Amino acid sequence: MNINQHLIFLAPYETVATNTATWFKGFCNLALLILGIGICLYTAVHGKYIAGGFATITLLVAHVANTEDQFAEASVIILAGIVGGIAELINTSFGIYEYNTSPFQFALLPTWIVSIWFVIGATVRCTFRWLAYRIITAGAMGAMLGSLTYFIASKLNVISFTGSFENYEVASSLAWSVAFPVIIVIGHRLFPMNSVGK
């Protein structure tokens, strides 16, 4: 036994390298999520919708280009955008909140909110892979993410709740508590990971 093996609890070098690479990928993927949501909110606040859309697309294309299973990753991102868009349409149809930013002509939702869901889709197979078989936990995580996102968006004045903030924020987060587990299932059941994130 050499000192390096002793210090890493007898783990082989290959195991340590693999685990380190996995943690690094997860960290970078989490940074992608934070940066992507930041871009979406910043451009929504300043009315730079086209620039924000292009920036988000560029970020996602770069992400997909650096994954091993590009088809699966791109599919999950697109489906996450669709599922998230439906969740947002449900919230707005019930009049829980309204957007203070105008969508493009004929668009049902502002680009920034749909872009946030695309960015979340890009984290499903890496940052949130530990939720693959924890659907209830994923629902709770979705509710927390939704609550935090709506809270920040309301403070930035890009959305306005039409009723009591506390009650409506909880109601709006319910859609996320359903949509997020659906995206997790899509990412890990329809497109099981063979090599992504390993």
Side-chain angles (χ1 to χ4, degrees):
M1 180 196 312
N2 62 43
I3 189 168
N4 290 326
Q5 287 179 318
H6 178 73
L7 290 175
I8 55 179
F9 305 104
L10 304 177
Y13 288 112
E14 296 80 7
T15 302
V16 174
T18 300
N19 290 340
T20 302
T22 300
W23 279 101
F24 181 72
K25 286 180 182 178
F27 176 78
C28 291
N29 197 243
L30 183 60
L32 167 77
L33 174 66
I34 295 169
L35 178 62
I37 291 178
I39 289 171
C40 294
L41 291 174
Y42 176 83
T43 54
V45 170
H46 295 282
K48 302 180 184 296
Y49 310 121
I50 296 177
F54 277 119
T56 305
I57 290 171
T58 302
L59 192 66
L60 293 175
V61 168
H63 165 70
V64 171
N66 285 290
T67 57
E68 295 180 32
D69 193 343
Q70 296 176 351
F71 174 77
E73 195 71 20
S75 299
V76 172
I77 290 171
I78 292 169
L79 291 171
I82 293 171
V83 171
I86 292 171
E88 297 300 329
L89 286 174
I90 290 172
N91 279 343
T92 54
S93 66
F94 280 105
I96 295 174
Y97 54 78
E98 57 187 21
Y99 299 104
N100 297 332
T101 55
S102 300
F104 290 113
Q105 187 178 14
F106 306 121
L108 297 175
L109 295 167
T111 54
W112 66 268
I113 191 66
V114 180
S115 295
I116 285 178
W117 283 99
F118 284 133
V119 172
I120 289 172
T123 62
V124 167
R125 291 163 57 82
C126 188
T127 298
F128 295 117
R129 72 178 296 179
W130 60 279
L131 290 173
Y133 297 97
R134 297 178 175 91
I135 302 304
I136 294 175
T137 306
M141 180 77 70
M144 289 188 291
L145 283 172
S147 180
L148 179 62
T149 302
Y150 291 130
F151 175 76
I152 294 172
S154 66
K155 292 300 180 183
L156 293 174
N157 199 35
V158 291
I159 66 169
S160 296
F161 288 93
T162 55
S164 168
F165 173 77
E166 292 79 9
N167 294 336
Y168 275 57
E169 188 186 24
V170 170
S172 63
S173 296
L174 290 177
W176 278 60
S177 69
V178 175
F180 190 65
V182 169
I183 294 170
I184 294 294
V185 169
I186 289 171
H188 296 280
R189 308 289 174 84
L190 294 184
F191 302 96
M193 294 178 294
N194 295 319
S195 56
V196 174
K198 291 184 178 180

